[in-house]
Amino acid sequence: MTTLDRPSTTSTNRALPANASEWLHDPVFNKGTAFTDAERDALGLRGLLPPHVQTMDEQVQRVMANFHSKSSDLERYIQIVGLQDRNETLFYRVVMDHLEEMMPIIYTPTVGKACEQYGHIFRRSRGLFISLKDRGHIGTVLRNWPTRDVKVIVVTDGERILGLGDLGASGMGIPVGKLSLYTACAGIHPTQCLPITIDVGTNNETFLYDPLYIGLREKRLRGEAYDSFIEEFIQAVQNVFPRVLVQFEDFGNSNAFRLLERYRDKICTFNDDIQGTGSVALAGILSALHLTAGKQMRDQRVLILGAGEAGMGIADNIVSILQEEGCSIAEARKHIWFVDSKGLIVKGREALTEHKVHYAHDHAPCLDLLTAVKFIKPTMLVGVSGQAKSFTEEIVKAVAGFNARPVIFALSNPTSKAECTAEQAYSWTEGRAIFASGSPFAPVTLNGKTYVPGQGNNAYIFPGVGLGVVATGARRVTDAMFIKAARTLASLLRKEELAEGRIYPSLKRIHEVSLAIAVAVAEEVYASKLTDQPRPANLIQFILAQMFKPEYPDYAT
Ligand code: NAD
């Protein structure tokens, strides 16, 4: 590892355990078989552990052997989350050292399966559940968390988990997984991360009748009552954890946009599905521009399937870039077209939301994607509809017919919802597609050439943005930070990576990526005067010094 890869903090914000049982059962402190002889004497652990003291490397070897012996990804998820519940330091060492292998397990696609089965595979509670039973007492529930030193909260109400829909309280796998990535990718200390699931009921009929479902058995709260429950939550969070960064995650889009508008100028918050997705997709688009015939954003026509949180986040970021290129906002919006569940978004279509109205074109109604593609002749086709297989062979070939290098992003998650696979995109375009997906696809070999599909994973963006915000004590999260993050990510792509077909740097470089994004975000924080703290002379060292390192402290001394 280089200095840049090596985060440096191991200390925790928690009081040390009071007895041997706590040392062994608190995942923050437990070292398992790696407690040294001196520690076993000092902490009263003699005899409570097998006599051979293992090194961390030996422990990692054991974990990985077990991991590889499992017969399904869900079993791997259960194993690895079990490790997180027993020994967090070892968990992060394993995840950080094997990130490419672990990311699809602790996050999409496997986390989706885990959420669908959450009540059935439930072992040990992790994070905070705040339910309608806690109305009027949310502050008390927050104070039950073992530390006040929380820097990042990821909160969901479980209504739109990945592309899987309403999973209610079982959505907890998502904040847990996202926060694991904050630590694994950007070194935010695990004890400063708090996953929260707000249980306001579920409309998932299967769960409502499942005796093993873990949440409230009632229909979702809506309207004014929902908003006032969220308001109580936000107020309580501000009281108990002042200045914490709150990331909204996987809320249904009828709430997500409204809550973002309501809170973005009042507290330190962002919505990853809107802003994080907009940023990572923009980075992919900026990288793709090195390969397309028209090298500038203003040469592009972007057709987006799905006009929800992700689609709008992507469109708004493209508009920002076009404005930087000198377009007016009205001109910029003309470069972007949407098809949603009711067809092409055109002027005069009934019941368009405010966001959709911005992107409504003067055009006759058109109900299907293929017809829209033939008319618009997009240079870029982006899927964020949650509708599996909606990029058919005919559609992809049509886009390839207009472009030497068609940009095809099938971003819907998990893998089962992707609009097309990497193999389809490359084979239907004779290898000409510039392809990215939301969940990972393996490299594809076609006529002797291997293509490495891009994964437009938000994990390239939110950990670095969060680190920059937390390290500088920023009061707000702004759209400008996400544009800076996208530009930074795109700028890190190496020529040889681009030559392999990648439009994102290898995940092996994630610590370097997150640090660079954190530095860019920090510069934006200081430039916009969003913090009371002075800019340190050496910003990189300042941020590096705050990053968690998965190493065991010596507890004997
Ligand atoms: P959302 O519910 O806010 O929006 C979904 C949109 O798809 C809506 O506009 C809906 O009208 C549209 N839609 C539904 N059925 C359709 C159909 N048959 N044809 C065309 N459009 C249809 O959800 P979202 O947050 O925008 O997420 C959408 C998908 O994008 C999910 O699968 C999610 O996992 C994925 N996503 C990927 C990334 C990533 O790759 N980095 C990030 C965020 C979201």
Side-chain angles (χ1 to χ4, degrees):
M1 272 189 160
T2 66
T3 347
L4 283 190
D5 294 331
R6 266 266 172 246
S8 55
T9 304
T10 51
S11 63
T12 92
N13 50 12
R14 298 259 312 274
L16 292 179
N19 56 47
S21 173
E22 283 184 22
W23 277 104
L24 293 178
H25 293 111
D26 187 327
V28 172
F29 298 98
N30 183 25
K31 296 164 73 165
T33 51
F35 276 114
T36 62
D37 283 320
E39 286 171 326
R40 294 173 190 214
D41 288 335
L43 308 173
L45 302 178
R46 277 270 164 225
L48 301 179
L49 291 161
H52 174 66
V53 174
Q54 283 188 311
T55 63
M56 204 180 206
D57 286 341
E58 287 167 342
Q59 290 182 310
V60 171
Q61 194 185 338
R62 183 186 62 219
V63 171
M64 291 311 293
N66 275 313
F67 185 82
H68 291 137
S69 74
K70 304 287 176 203
S71 56
S72 74
D73 283 344
L74 188 59
E75 282 183 43
R76 289 183 193 100
Y77 175 90
I78 293 168
Q79 180 216 345
I80 214 71
V81 167
L83 174 63
Q84 187 175 22
D85 289 341
R86 288 193 307 278
N87 181 339
E88 272 189 2
T89 319
L90 183 57
F91 166 81
Y92 281 110
R93 170 70 194 280
V94 166
V95 171
M96 284 162 130
D97 284 2
H98 302 87
L99 197 62
E100 281 178 301
E101 207 174 348
M102 292 294 155
M103 190 114 79
I105 303 297
I106 62 172
Y107 209 65
T108 182
T110 310
V111 74
K113 251 185 218 126
C115 288
E116 288 176 316
Q117 303 278 324
Y118 218 69
H120 294 247
I121 62 172
F122 189 83
R123 267 43 176 192
R124 183 173 174 170
S125 196
R126 177 165 275 273
L128 270 181
F129 289 91
I130 296 174
S131 83
L132 292 174
K133 289 186 199 167
D134 305 311
R135 205 177 339 215
H137 310 283
I138 295 179
T140 310
V141 177
L142 292 173
R143 284 187 192 88
N144 286 341
W145 191 247
T147 168
R148 281 301 104 83
D149 182 25
V150 172
K151 302 281 191 209
V152 186
I153 286 173
V154 174
V155 59
T156 189
D157 74 352
E159 187 173 4
R160 199 240 67 204
I161 295 300
L162 304 172
L164 300 169
D166 185 350
L167 299 186
S170 296
M172 181 55 112
I174 295 294
V176 167
K178 283 248 155 158
L179 283 164
S180 299
L181 295 181
Y182 265 104
T183 302
C185 300
I188 307 265
H189 203 291
T191 58
Q192 294 180 326
C193 296
L194 171 52
I196 297 184
T197 290
I198 293 182
D199 186 351
V200 288
T202 180
N203 294 347
N204 183 320
E205 294 288 332
T206 312
F207 281 3
L208 286 172
Y209 293 104
D210 179 353
L212 298 186
Y213 174 57
I214 56 167
L216 297 181
R217 280 148 176 76
E218 56 189 270
K219 291 274 181 167
R220 267 186 188 276
L221 187 70
R222 296 284 185 205
E224 196 46 46
Y226 174 88
D227 282 5
S228 69
F229 191 68
I230 299 291
E231 175 64 17
E232 184 193 340
F233 166 72
I234 293 290
Q235 292 292 339
V237 162
Q238 297 307 297
N239 288 336
V240 180
F241 308 113
R243 286 273 173 115
V244 70
L245 168 64
V246 180
Q247 173 176 328
F248 281 84
E249 188 68 40
D250 286 3
F251 282 67
N253 78 25
S254 61
N255 291 321
F257 287 110
R258 195 182 63 260
L259 295 177
L260 178 61
E261 285 319 309
R262 180 164 303 166
Y263 293 113
R264 63 184 304 159
D265 295 326
K266 294 194 180 124
I267 65 168
C268 186
T269 191
F270 73 98
N271 180 304
D272 190 52
D273 305 299
I274 302 172
Q275 295 160 286
T277 307
S279 184
V280 78
L282 177 63
I285 287 172
L286 293 173
S287 300
L289 288 179
H290 294 293
L291 302 168
T292 50
K295 301 274 184 247
Q296 292 198 299
M297 210 53 241
R298 74 169 81 98
D299 302 318
Q300 311 304 319
R301 278 178 311 285
V302 185
L303 175 54
I304 304 180
L305 182 73
E309 298 171 57
M312 287 300 158
I314 296 168
D316 289 349
N317 276 2
I318 295 174
V319 166
S320 297
I321 295 294
L322 283 164
Q323 288 181 287
E324 285 178 22
E325 284 185 11
C327 291
S328 69
I329 191 160
E331 274 175 80
R333 285 175 177 157
K334 286 192 181 143
H335 289 256
I336 298 158
W337 296 73
F338 276 103
V339 170
D340 67 4
S341 56
K342 300 195 181 79
L344 194 62
I345 295 190
V346 291
K347 283 192 179 146
R349 209 181 89 176
E350 268 181 27
L352 285 180
T353 61
E354 190 193 332
H355 297 96
K356 293 185 185 182
V357 166
H358 291 148
Y359 293 98
H361 286 251
D362 253 327
H363 191 270
C366 164
L367 292 181
D368 70 291
L369 182 62
L370 179 61
T371 313
V373 162
K374 285 181 177 163
F375 172 75
I376 296 160
K377 300 190 174 52
T379 56
M380 302 184 167
L381 179 65
V382 178
V384 276
S385 60
Q387 302 300 307
K389 304 184 174 74
S390 42
F391 293 173
T392 60
E393 183 169 356
E394 211 179 350
I395 288 170
V396 172
K397 283 189 164 166
V399 181
F402 314 125
N403 301 285
R405 300 297 311 269
V407 174
I408 310 281
F409 287 2
L411 296 181
S412 288
N413 292 319
T415 319
S416 60
K417 301 285 180 188
E419 284 80 4
C420 68
T421 65
E423 190 169 8
Q424 289 170 333
Y426 293 123
S427 63
W428 291 340
T429 62
E430 309 90 30
R432 289 183 290 127
I434 302 168
F435 177 80
S437 55
S439 300
F441 280 105
V444 174
T445 303
L446 198 71
N447 301 326
K449 184 167 177 198
T450 299
Y451 302 87
V452 184
Q455 191 194 350
N457 192 325
N458 292 29
Y460 279 114
I461 298 289
F462 68 80
V465 170
L467 179 61
V469 166
V470 165
T472 54
R475 287 186 293 273
R476 300 285 178 271
V477 185
T478 61
D479 287 337
M481 294 177 189
F482 286 97
I483 301 283
K484 286 253 157 73
R487 285 202 181 279
T488 305
L489 177 57
S491 75
L492 291 171
L493 188 69
R494 294 179 180 145
K495 278 202 178 108
E496 55 279 17
E497 288 172 327
L498 197 61
E500 285 179 330
R502 290 179 190 268
I503 49 171
Y504 297 101
S506 160
L507 272 177
K508 290 192 178 73
R509 299 174 58 206
I510 194 69
H511 296 133
E512 176 197 344
V513 165
S514 298
L515 181 62
I517 290 178
V519 169
V521 166
E523 293 290 16
E524 175 63 25
V525 171
Y526 297 118
S528 309
K529 302 195 173 20
L530 286 170
T531 180
D532 315 324
Q533 297 171 15
R535 185 190 184 288
N538 188 333
L539 191 52
I540 295 181
Q541 283 309 324
F542 171 74
I543 293 177
L544 258 180
Q546 302 187 39
M547 291 168 76
F548 167 79
K549 186 169 160 185
E551 286 181 355
Y552 292 135
D554 179 0
Y555 291 118
T557 49

